[in-house]
Amino acid sequence: MIDAKHERKTRKFKESDYYDLKKDGQYFLLPFRFHRITPEKEIIVNEVGDFLILPTGTCERIVKRQIDKKTDSELYGDLIANYFISEEIIPPLIDVLATRYRTKKLFLNHFTGLHIFVISLRCEHTCHYCQVSRVTQNRDKYDMPIDYIDKGIEIMFKSPNPHVTMEFQGGEALLAFDNIKHAVEKAESIAKEIGKGLTKVICTNLAIVTEEILEYCKEHEILISTSLDGPKFIHDSNRHKPHASSYELTIKGIELARKILGHDRVSALMTTTKLSLDYPVEIVDEYFNMGFQGIFLRNISPYGFALRTEKSRYDTEKFLTFYKKALDRILEYNFQGHYFTEDLARIFLIKMLSPFNVGFVDLQSPAGLINGVIVFNYDGGVYATDESRMLAEQKDFTFKLGTLDDSYNELFFGKKAQEIAEVWANESLAGCSECAFQPYCGADPVHNHATQGDMYGYRPNSDFCQKNMEIIRYLIELMESDKKIKNIFQGWARTVNH
Amino acid sequence: MSFHNRIEGNEIIVFADTSLYSKDSIFKCLYWYGDKYHANVSFVDSNTYKISLKPMSDNLISAEQAEKLLQKLERDLLDFNLRDIVTKETKNIRDLLIAKAFSNGEFDELPPGELSDPVGFNVNEIKND
Ligand code: SF4
């Protein structure tokens, strides 16, 4: 018979005591932050977004070195394995952790991907919350001239990103379809020549879409992104179209677009208005019944005309109540075996439950403006985000980086870009720097400026902060309360587009 | 001399030992009260901070709310002090981690400890000549 102990010695494994580097029970802290999620529980989150949910008071015990390796062996093991504490001053696996950190910031690797061309400011709708559109036939004044389109394309292809996206917005983009065709064909030929990937998207309300337009989109692999605010009575009330039902035109348009382009080539975005807040279930049902795989519950932007109309003013508390009710309904569909997601939650969950991140303009740090997205306005102005050009319609040019006549360097690395860069990382913002949700959240200098009057922002009464903090906390609470929900959320987090 | 945390009229007053609470943690904590309260920090003696919160004129609070606020402030001060300890204790390792993450290998090093393989020779002694 072989002596087990001896056998072990002939292998290269050491006795367990060998690994007990700190026999005196001391350990070193690694960077992490904590937040109370309920009166009974708190969360600790490390630099790469791994988290542990612990009974209230545990964080204090960790910091005071009261976690005992023997009596708290399970917790101790979890803290070591998840990089919250280390038995050595520099953890042996710090390079693994550094690689994971780099993975979380991978969205920075390629620089600007999304290039928005505001191809026309003209629109045939008169939506009450719309900040910018004009009902007019004046093409000369409100369509993007060919010259600017060409300059925009030239700048787009200067991006170091190996794959760029050009997105046409309006007004109603399809009113300038001839110009879109010019842009698409020109961009395609350059992309082919220099070997860059190119995705094309048209944002449209689909009211004036035709088979001919869609055939063209099919031929050129153009994606369609439309707007659907919910059932007919909500959509039509939000999106006023003289002498017609916007809803019926949108639904007809979605069906036709799916038939010609394929189901998955058509997506829809909703805008939440004061009216929507009373109908979370109906809105979710509309998206589900229309055969979408999910919905993005977005709150109304606080910019421009929207801020001034009483109809659109509501507070974040109400949005959060709406959000939670809608999420409940979405979970019901998932319990029944359907895969149907809420996309804001999905962004947070990918950051919480997967090794990856999602580049999403205001939910990343550094923020996605300039280094993720750039906007070329119809009049040649270049803006940091879509919201920035809406501010400009109110004569606020804070986020105007220059014009299409400027050089790439002036636009992307100029004084204005540098000024914005000072405040685009939540790691260094007051309030955010000690916030446990920092790896899941982001920074939004444009929103701060629009709602609080300065780019830096003030977290205690920021609606951006209030919304994100509560939604993240709520997602954790849901996962903790029900294993089934945790499984569903894990499923959502697995569908990463990285 | 001992100081008791208390509510004086509409004002919340809390004392903190300077050897236990860092100045940074107190200010980071009070940051979150600045939208609704006038916050003030002063020394009562060289070992004690006096922290006070006074509701802004448009934010009148009841006695019951004041009691809750006192509790919340005490708890938040403890929490922010813990956060500050973690931040300061882990500053160097955090810097190292981020430097490594964004470097191209210049901060990498072999894992500490003896490196050996199952066949039994010591890789550290193998020379490439
Ligand atoms: S905005 Fe609020 S929730 Fe987001 S990181 Fe900053 S403090 Fe945390």
Side-chain angles (χ1 to χ4, degrees):
Chain A
M1 204 177 97
I2 303 168
D3 170 13
K5 199 159 186 190
H6 177 73
E7 185 197 36
R8 225 180 283 133
K9 280 225 152 61
T10 59
R11 314 275 299 268
K12 280 289 177 181
F13 295 112
K14 307 280 196 287
E15 294 299 314
S16 65
D17 274 3
Y18 178 87
Y19 297 97
D20 197 358
L21 298 165
K22 299 297 284 181
K23 293 196 181 70
D24 55 358
Q26 286 301 297
Y27 49 81
F28 297 95
L29 300 180
L30 294 177
F32 68 85
R33 301 179 185 82
F34 83 100
H35 187 87
R36 294 172 188 254
I37 42 170
T38 62
E40 299 78 34
K41 288 189 175 152
E42 59 195 24
I43 184 171
I44 55 174
V45 186
N46 68 12
E47 285 292 319
V48 295
D50 294 340
F51 66 90
L52 290 176
I53 312 281
L54 303 165
T56 296
T58 314
C59 184
E60 187 174 352
R61 289 179 54 218
I62 297 171
V63 174
K64 291 186 171 162
R65 308 298 197 278
Q66 290 169 351
I67 307 299
D68 185 82
K69 190 170 182 173
K70 298 232 157 50
T71 51
D72 300 304
S73 61
E74 202 174 320
L75 171 62
Y76 191 90
D78 281 348
L79 293 171
I80 293 270
N82 291 288
Y83 301 101
F84 288 101
I85 59 170
S86 165
E87 292 185 332
E88 296 189 47
I89 189 150
I90 296 179
L93 295 180
I94 188 164
D95 286 339
V96 176
L97 193 61
T99 305
R100 293 201 45 212
Y101 190 92
R102 189 204 293 253
T103 307
K104 285 285 180 187
K105 299 286 184 188
L106 215 54
F107 58 82
L108 290 173
N109 255 19
H110 296 312
F111 210 55
T112 324
L114 177 59
H115 298 76
I116 296 175
F117 288 71
V118 181
I119 203 83
S120 172
L121 210 59
R122 294 183 296 124
C123 190
E124 22 60 67
H125 272 59
T126 49
C127 307
H128 66 78
Y129 58 74
C130 179
Q131 296 92 339
V132 294
S133 301
R134 302 278 186 288
V135 181
T136 167
Q137 301 295 326
N138 189 345
R139 284 174 172 259
D140 291 343
K141 189 157 179 218
Y142 293 111
D143 283 9
M144 190 180 217
I146 296 289
D147 179 35
Y148 279 149
I149 294 176
D150 292 349
K151 282 185 174 154
I153 291 172
E154 200 183 305
I155 289 173
M156 174 170 78
F157 282 114
K158 285 201 176 129
S159 169
N161 201 317
H163 193 115
V164 291
T165 296
M166 77 189 305
E167 183 174 296
F168 300 101
Q169 288 198 8
E172 170 46 49
L174 291 183
L175 288 174
F177 190 63
D178 284 344
N179 287 359
I180 292 182
K181 279 172 35 186
H182 167 85
V184 165
E185 283 157 37
K186 174 142 192 163
E188 278 175 347
S189 82
I190 299 176
K192 203 167 154 201
E193 198 184 306
I194 62 173
K196 254 192 212 286
L198 174 68
T199 299
K200 294 139 285 180
V201 184
I202 300 178
C203 299
T204 164
N205 59 39
L206 290 172
I208 58 162
V209 79
T210 60
E211 278 189 37
E212 200 190 333
I213 290 175
L214 289 167
E215 287 298 345
Y216 181 88
C217 292
K218 186 178 180 189
E219 195 188 325
H220 291 269
E221 297 181 318
I222 300 170
L223 301 165
I224 296 287
S225 168
T226 192
S227 307
L228 180 64
D229 288 351
K232 184 171 168 27
F233 71 98
I234 297 174
H235 187 97
D236 280 347
S237 159
N238 286 352
R239 297 180 186 265
H240 184 250
K241 183 167 167 64
H243 319 298
S245 159
S246 172
Y247 174 82
E248 270 154 28
L249 290 167
T250 302
I251 298 295
K252 241 174 72 193
I254 291 174
E255 279 161 4
L256 188 65
R258 281 176 170 169
K259 203 173 107 199
I260 295 174
L261 302 178
H263 194 97
D264 296 339
R265 313 286 292 174
V266 186
S267 66
L269 274 178
M270 69 156 294
T271 297
T272 311
T273 57
K274 200 174 174 204
L275 174 69
S276 325
L277 292 176
D278 293 328
Y279 302 98
V281 172
E282 291 79 355
I283 292 171
V284 171
D285 286 356
E286 177 72 25
Y287 268 73
F288 182 80
N289 294 332
M290 276 302 294
F292 289 106
Q293 286 233 309
I295 181 169
F296 195 152
L297 299 167
R298 302 187 309 159
N299 51 342
I300 192 170
S301 77
Y303 308 98
F305 302 154
L307 200 63
R308 283 198 242 130
T309 56
E310 185 52 40
K311 207 171 174 193
S312 299
R313 198 173 298 140
Y314 63 91
D315 57 33
T316 313
E317 274 305 328
K318 283 189 190 135
F319 175 77
L320 287 168
T321 310
F322 161 84
Y323 182 88
K324 289 175 187 177
K325 283 189 188 147
L327 191 60
D328 269 0
R329 181 66 171 175
I330 291 166
L331 285 170
E332 262 175 54
Y333 282 122
N334 283 272
F335 290 146
Q336 291 162 16
H338 303 283
Y339 179 85
F340 189 79
T341 60
E342 196 290 301
D343 289 334
L344 180 59
R346 203 166 69 85
I347 291 171
F348 289 134
L349 291 165
I350 289 170
K351 291 158 178 262
M352 293 160 81
L353 303 174
S354 89
F356 304 106
N357 203 330
V358 210
F360 188 79
V361 62
D362 60 352
L363 292 177
Q364 64 178 60
S365 176
L369 63 174
I370 305 172
N371 63 52
V373 58
I374 194 95
V375 179
F376 305 138
N377 210 6
Y378 71 103
D379 60 0
V382 177
Y383 293 90
T385 60
D386 204 25
E387 291 76 15
S388 313
R389 62 121 175 170
M390 295 184 182
L391 286 174
E393 290 301 322
Q394 300 199 305
K395 310 274 174 283
D396 178 344
F397 299 101
T398 311
F399 296 94
K400 184 173 182 179
L401 304 173
T403 74
L404 284 165
D405 294 316
D406 294 326
S407 72
Y408 187 87
N409 278 0
E410 277 164 343
L411 292 171
F412 288 80
F413 306 113
K415 246 179 118 181
K416 193 68 107 178
Q418 288 175 26
E419 195 189 319
I420 299 169
E422 295 268 318
V423 295
W424 72 14
N426 65 1
E427 284 88 345
S428 59
L429 294 179
C432 305
S433 71
E434 298 276 0
C435 173
F437 299 153
Q438 183 200 93
Y440 311 140
C441 193
D444 195 346
V446 186
H447 187 93
N448 293 342
H449 171 84
T451 57
Q452 300 186 313
D454 73 284
M455 282 190 219
Y456 190 91
Y458 182 59
R459 259 51 64 192
N461 58 12
S462 146
D463 61 337
F464 172 82
C465 176
Q466 189 192 354
K467 184 189 86 176
N468 290 345
M469 198 181 273
E470 178 53 18
I471 291 178
I472 296 168
R473 191 206 63 79
Y474 185 63
L475 293 173
I476 296 164
E477 192 189 328
L478 284 176
M479 281 193 276
E480 277 298 291
S481 68
D482 189 340
K483 192 106 201 134
K484 272 194 306 196
I485 297 182
K486 190 167 185 182
N487 288 338
I488 290 165
F489 283 176
Q490 274 164 342
W492 292 7
R494 271 195 293 273
T495 49
V496 189
N497 321 311
H498 53 270
Chain B
M1 188 176 172
S2 80
F3 301 100
H4 295 290
N5 297 346
R6 59 179 185 267
I7 302 166
E8 247 177 45
N10 226 357
E11 194 175 356
I12 313 290
I13 298 170
V14 171
F15 298 93
D17 187 326
T18 54
S19 65
L20 298 176
Y21 288 84
S22 76
K23 194 165 76 185
D24 290 354
S25 73
I26 293 173
F27 283 106
K28 282 180 179 176
C29 172
L30 291 179
Y31 172 75
W32 288 96
Y33 288 84
D35 62 324
K36 294 200 180 88
Y37 305 92
H38 297 287
N40 192 46
V41 187
S42 56
F43 281 111
V44 262
D45 59 38
S46 57
N47 302 321
T48 319
Y49 292 115
K50 180 184 173 197
I51 300 150
S52 72
L53 287 183
K54 232 188 201 157
M56 289 184 178
S57 53
D58 58 349
N59 176 35
L60 295 173
I61 55 170
S62 66
E64 197 188 334
Q65 282 170 319
E67 190 59 46
K68 282 213 175 98
L69 185 65
L70 172 63
Q71 250 178 38
K72 183 169 157 27
L73 179 61
E74 289 171 339
R75 200 189 68 186
D76 283 351
L77 283 166
L78 281 168
D79 284 358
F80 274 95
N81 202 43
L82 283 178
R83 291 183 178 114
D84 199 51
I85 294 171
V86 181
T87 302
K88 287 186 177 139
E89 265 190 51
T90 60
K91 185 185 176 300
N92 290 342
I93 192 83
R94 186 168 181 261
D95 287 350
L96 178 65
L97 173 71
I98 292 164
K100 276 173 172 286
F102 292 124
S103 76
N104 285 313
E106 59 262 47
F107 294 97
D108 292 355
E109 57 194 41
L110 285 174
E114 185 194 332
L115 246 167
S116 60
D117 84 358
V119 219
F121 52 81
N122 188 346
V123 287
N124 294 332
E125 282 173 9
I126 300 173
K127 294 201 177 73
N128 291 326
D129 39 21

